[in-house]
Amino acid sequence: MSRRAVAVRVEGIVQGVGFRPFVYGLATRLGLAGLVGNDERGVFIEVEGGSALVEEFLAALTGDPPPLAVIERISTGPAPVTGRRTFEIAPSVAGGDRHALVPPDVATCDACLRDLTDPADRRWGYAFTNCTGCGPRFTIVRDVPYDRANTTMAAFPMCADCAREYHDPADRRFHAQPVCCPACGPRLRLAGSAGSEGAGDPLERAVQALREGGVLAVKGLGGYHLAALAADEPAVAALRSRKHREDKPFAVMAGDPAAARRLCVVDPAEERLLTGPARPVVLLRRLPDAPVAPSVAPGNRWLGVLLPYTPLHHLLLRALGEPIVLTSGNVSDEPIAYRDDEALERLGGIADAFLAHDRPIHIRTDDSVVRIFRGRDLPIRRSRGYVPHPLPLARAAPRPVLACGAELKHTFCLVEEDRAFVSHHIGDLENYETLRSFTEGVEHFRRLFDITPEVVAHDLHPEYLSTKWALDMPDREDVDLIGVQHHHAHIASCLADNGAAGPVAGVAFDGLGYGSDGTLWGGEFLIADLAGFERAGHLTPVPMPGGATAIRQPWRMAAAYLDLAYDGDVPEDLDVVRRNAGQWAAVVALARRGGNAPLTSSMGRLFDAVAAVAGVRDAITYEGQAAVEFEQLADPAVDGAYPCGVLPAGTRFAVPGVELVRAVADDLRAGVPCDVVAARFHNAVARVVADGCALIREARGLSTVALSGGVFQNLLLLGRAVTLLEERGFTVLTHHRVPPNDGGVSLGQAAVAAALDRGDP
């Protein structure tokens, strides 16, 4: 039988996922000789043996890889036949350009759970059990290649038993970089709010603290969480008060899928998400009798639920036997705490006790949040469990790109060739701490993936901290700057998310974005591809009395809209007028003068106005609150819709939102129930989307629509709009890998910058 040797290069997520043991096992089973190793590009293999067996080996590489491996490309070439007789794992090779991918953090696998719960196993009850199929990855990596010395586990020398497993190709912990056990690995500790540790088992004392109504800080994979018993109203209310989080829903961790089903309706797609390796928070339809305290998610039909994703979480939930609130360890608007000293300082006034450990977290990473739309993922926040897995670009970027993102729900994106590395969720760039998290994150990604940007993309808004940083970055003279309009970036992110290039009819509905004409946009119909856009239509602009104050107080938008809708003669019997009678005249006068009342075409602000008119709320405590609660008010069984004509406005068309506000107000004055009013408004906006896209198709022949922007997190609106568009023969692109909100803007900026750098027409 002829002997053949082949050199193989495997790129993708192939480090830290058991790929080398898989290759070793496959080669030895086939009786092949050679070697496998990690380097800065991925995995390299040399294999030799009978020609047919080598072919079988190459086919199996892609046919049956480890579950967590993501193979992007395999290249092969001839190698000299050496006559060697064994197959071995070679030492990792460092140096050179880095192209190896770092895997995301992975939820505890079933095999490790069995170890955790087996009294005969040496890792019984051990909170840091992991193997090549699970455990910390991105949050502990300092450098590549992904080896123990380049992680925060370097401070924990392996004991003899762990070393034996680590070096045994037949063991599932073979080259598992975070491998450890009670004899050599990290240890739990329980400290009081002042940092002092007491006697006794940390886990048992943590459980006792929760059962006694306490608030517990828990150190997770990417930072600290704050926990309380989900059914304990005084404890959850205390957590709300201390964290200064008035209304925004808390996530709930349930022990297993059965426990989740006692809280919410869970369909098969949602259960797939709940139990998958990423373990995001999944937004589920809450059961009316769900045993959770009223303060967990006040007035909300949906509940964010996640399952345990570390051994510590499993141990804690099993010991408690009931769900817990698990929310980010921060004061509202601050980034999540992840360093131990920082956590004590920042959370000492919130938590009664700290369940911590001595394994450092290298990079803070919040939980991801996902919901299901028509059986497919719709990310709301893409972070732990997904990052830093790159997203593929349909066409490669000529030069490396850094996209600096927007302001709210901030992410950044680094691109090299056809890989887009969208960062973990940073938060709202409104203070020094989040700005520092952004700049530290950029440096970490640049180092991990050896990317030195030559093109930097940024938002047009001159006051965004991300824009200011881009304009003043330290190596500014070495890069080309590209400003990308906010809503063009939204549509480009949807295109990139779907592997498309356009042109499309793009509908970008959000809160606010800086328009290319210097006004505030947000209800936009664009004709767009990656390289450029035209503004085809938009909501008719209205004033925002008080500027940013009108965002925090939606009744101000109601006042501006109603004044226009009724030509200055607003009926005084409207509840929103009565509730705000003391300031109404002054706010209307401000809107008419136009001083501190910038014009905006924002769909988000229209939702705010209608929500206030309907009595949902006059002031908000978190972004989008009025619109979220207005959606939940709507009766999905109602099919009727308010009329709203799409009007020519020069070379564009305009959507008169004042017509919708007038219709809502007239119905309410006539005694129409609020749930019917809310449904009719949603249906009207969905029809506006379809009518606007139909006008674009008539003018330009475009039959594909891309929907993006935070307003399309509204499932009622999204579902109705997609249905209407598809009934009219459109192909509809929606998000499924990055959020439609500003968390996806950085990907769109990067895709636009790459297209412009390529010189796309």
Side-chain angles (χ1 to χ4, degrees):
M1 181 172 63
S2 63
R3 194 169 179 87
R4 177 186 173 198
V6 176
V8 184
R9 162 69 57 188
V10 187
E11 296 178 66
I13 296 182
V14 289
Q15 294 186 9
V17 294
F19 200 84
R20 287 178 300 171
F22 158 71
V23 170
Y24 178 92
L26 175 62
T28 53
R29 188 171 70 251
L30 294 174
L32 298 171
L35 56 86
V36 59
N38 281 346
D39 63 12
E40 72 284 347
R41 293 178 56 194
V43 168
F44 60 90
I45 305 168
E46 294 176 14
V47 62
E48 69 177 81
S51 184
L53 293 175
V54 169
E55 285 301 320
E56 185 177 347
F57 172 87
L58 295 175
L61 277 181
T62 55
D64 188 29
L68 300 180
V70 179
I71 297 175
E72 289 191 347
R73 58 179 68 91
I74 293 181
S75 54
T76 61
V81 175
T82 64
R84 61 183 136 194
R85 297 299 174 189
T86 60
F87 197 92
E88 61 187 46
I89 292 184
S92 295
V93 177
D97 294 336
R98 303 173 184 182
H99 295 279
L101 298 182
V102 175
D105 300 284
V106 183
T108 308
C109 68
D110 290 342
C112 283
L113 278 181
R114 287 192 292 271
D115 293 346
L116 190 70
T117 55
D118 180 1
D121 193 278
R122 69 190 188 91
R123 293 185 174 87
W124 176 47
Y126 183 55
F128 307 94
T129 301
N130 67 86
C131 69
T132 53
C134 68
R137 299 291 193 271
F138 172 64
T139 52
I140 65 170
V141 172
R142 290 192 173 109
D143 210 339
V144 292
Y146 175 65
D147 285 327
R148 191 181 185 96
N150 290 328
T151 73
T152 61
M153 285 298 296
F156 300 93
M158 285 182 278
C159 67
D161 288 333
C162 286
R164 187 185 68 251
E165 293 169 334
Y166 181 87
H167 292 291
D168 180 1
D171 196 285
R172 79 171 198 278
R173 293 188 169 92
F174 179 56
H175 282 251
Q177 305 309 333
V179 67
C180 57
C181 74
C184 64
R187 290 170 173 77
L188 282 178
R189 65 175 183 270
L190 188 80
S193 58
S196 58
E197 296 183 37
D201 179 81
L203 187 69
E204 291 178 0
R205 291 168 54 220
V207 169
Q208 181 181 357
L210 287 170
R211 285 182 173 154
E212 291 175 352
V215 174
L216 181 70
V218 182
K219 188 177 180 180
L221 282 181
Y224 277 80
H225 290 92
L226 294 164
L229 292 183
D232 187 338
E233 173 61 19
V236 179
L239 174 55
R240 276 207 179 278
S241 174
R242 297 176 194 175
K243 188 176 159 73
H244 305 300
R245 183 160 163 166
E246 296 177 50
D247 302 301
K248 193 173 184 180
F250 286 139
V252 172
M253 178 174 275
D256 53 37
R261 285 191 289 270
R262 288 192 287 272
L263 302 175
C264 299
V265 176
V266 184
D267 69 21
E270 290 163 339
E271 184 159 347
R272 167 186 59 78
L273 259 182
L274 276 173
T275 59
R279 294 288 168 99
V281 176
V282 183
L283 298 183
L284 302 171
R285 291 151 292 178
R286 179 177 178 172
L287 293 172
D289 57 350
V292 296
S295 291
V296 170
N300 206 305
R301 294 181 185 176
W302 296 79
L303 197 61
V305 179
L306 74 165
L307 298 186
Y309 56 85
T310 70
L312 177 56
H313 292 131
H314 281 283
L315 292 169
L316 188 61
L317 269 291
R318 289 185 184 199
L320 281 167
E322 60 179 301
I324 59 173
V325 162
L326 199 72
T327 186
S328 298
N330 59 3
V331 178
S332 290
D333 300 326
E334 292 182 356
I336 186 172
Y338 73 109
R339 296 189 178 101
D340 297 335
D341 55 349
E342 168 200 36
L344 277 171
E345 178 183 347
R346 290 171 51 198
L347 307 180
I350 303 175
D352 300 303
F354 287 74
L355 183 58
H357 55 78
D358 54 354
R359 182 181 68 206
I361 298 168
H362 187 64
I363 193 83
R364 73 175 107 219
T365 313
D366 281 277
D367 292 326
S368 296
V369 181
V370 186
R371 69 193 320 171
I372 293 293
F373 175 68
R374 296 191 172 187
R376 198 165 75 154
D377 298 4
L378 177 64
I380 306 300
R381 184 167 75 195
R382 180 182 181 271
S383 205
R384 180 194 50 77
Y386 297 93
V387 175
H389 184 225
L391 302 175
L393 295 180
R395 293 186 63 193
R399 295 184 291 168
V401 177
L402 166 64
C404 296
E407 183 99 325
L408 302 180
K409 300 176 177 64
H410 178 267
T411 63
F412 61 86
C413 179
L414 276 166
V415 171
E416 185 159 58
E417 298 176 349
D418 60 351
R419 288 174 171 173
F421 297 91
V422 180
S423 78
H424 50 298
H425 168 80
I426 303 294
D428 295 348
L429 285 190
E430 295 180 330
N431 54 50
Y432 170 75
E433 284 299 322
T434 46
L435 179 63
R436 188 178 69 173
S437 186
F438 159 51
T439 57
E440 289 176 350
V442 169
E443 287 308 307
H444 186 53
F445 270 58
R446 287 180 59 170
R447 184 172 62 255
L448 277 188
F449 306 116
D450 201 20
I451 298 174
T452 300
E454 298 176 32
V455 179
V456 173
H458 60 84
D459 196 273
L460 296 182
H461 201 302
E463 293 305 313
Y464 280 3
L465 292 182
S466 56
T467 301
K468 290 181 175 181
W469 182 85
L471 296 175
D472 296 326
M473 60 187 296
D475 42 1
R476 162 71 184 87
E477 66 280 358
D478 298 326
V479 301
D480 292 329
L481 288 178
I482 295 178
V484 181
Q485 198 279 323
H486 188 85
H487 300 95
H488 182 207
H490 269 304
I491 300 306
S493 76
C494 188
L495 291 173
D497 200 346
N498 288 276
V504 296
V507 185
F509 287 174
D510 65 359
L512 290 174
Y514 199 76
S516 53
D517 60 359
T519 66
L520 300 175
W521 294 4
E524 309 307 311
F525 292 83
L526 307 180
I527 299 166
D529 55 20
L530 295 179
F533 75 96
E534 300 173 39
R535 197 182 189 197
H538 52 82
L539 273 179
T540 302
V542 298
M544 284 176 57
T549 304
I551 300 173
R552 298 188 294 271
Q553 298 177 9
W555 75 267
R556 289 171 172 260
M557 292 307 306
Y561 264 108
L562 287 169
D563 186 54
L564 294 169
Y566 286 97
D567 293 323
D569 189 20
V570 179
E572 294 182 0
D573 61 345
L574 280 169
D575 284 345
V576 68
V577 179
R578 286 198 292 256
R579 290 193 308 269
N580 299 282
Q583 300 179 71
W584 191 270
V587 167
V588 168
L590 178 61
R592 291 175 181 175
R593 284 198 310 271
N596 184 23
L599 292 176
T600 181
S601 59
S602 165
M603 180 60 75
R605 301 290 78 81
L606 174 59
F607 265 88
D608 282 352
V610 174
V613 173
V616 172
R617 63 174 46 250
D618 291 338
I620 63 169
T621 62
Y622 64 88
E623 194 231 347
Q625 182 180 8
V628 168
E629 294 176 354
F630 188 59
E631 175 194 0
Q632 297 193 46
L633 180 65
D635 182 352
V638 173
D639 293 326
Y642 297 121
C644 184
V646 179
L647 307 174
T651 58
R652 299 192 286 264
F653 61 83
V655 178
V658 291
E659 292 186 3
L660 296 177
V661 175
R662 174 71 183 254
V664 165
D666 287 348
D667 260 4
L668 290 169
R669 296 181 70 211
V672 177
C674 286
D675 59 343
V676 175
V677 169
R680 289 174 177 173
F681 176 80
H682 279 81
N683 295 340
V685 175
R687 290 187 184 182
V688 163
V689 170
D691 291 346
C693 291
L695 286 178
I696 292 174
R697 180 167 58 186
E698 286 177 20
R700 303 295 283 271
L702 297 174
S703 59
T704 299
V705 175
L707 304 178
S708 191
V711 171
F712 286 113
Q713 293 173 168
N714 181 321
L715 286 196
L716 178 60
L717 172 62
L718 181 63
R720 297 284 164 94
V722 170
T723 296
L724 287 175
L725 288 164
E726 290 178 343
E727 286 175 351
R728 298 191 189 190
F730 286 99
T731 298
V732 186
L733 305 180
T734 59
H735 287 267
H736 63 103
R737 291 184 294 191
V738 297
N741 60 45
D742 282 7
V745 161
S746 65
L747 175 64
Q749 290 174 343
V752 170
L756 293 174
D757 203 32
R758 283 193 303 267
D760 289 2

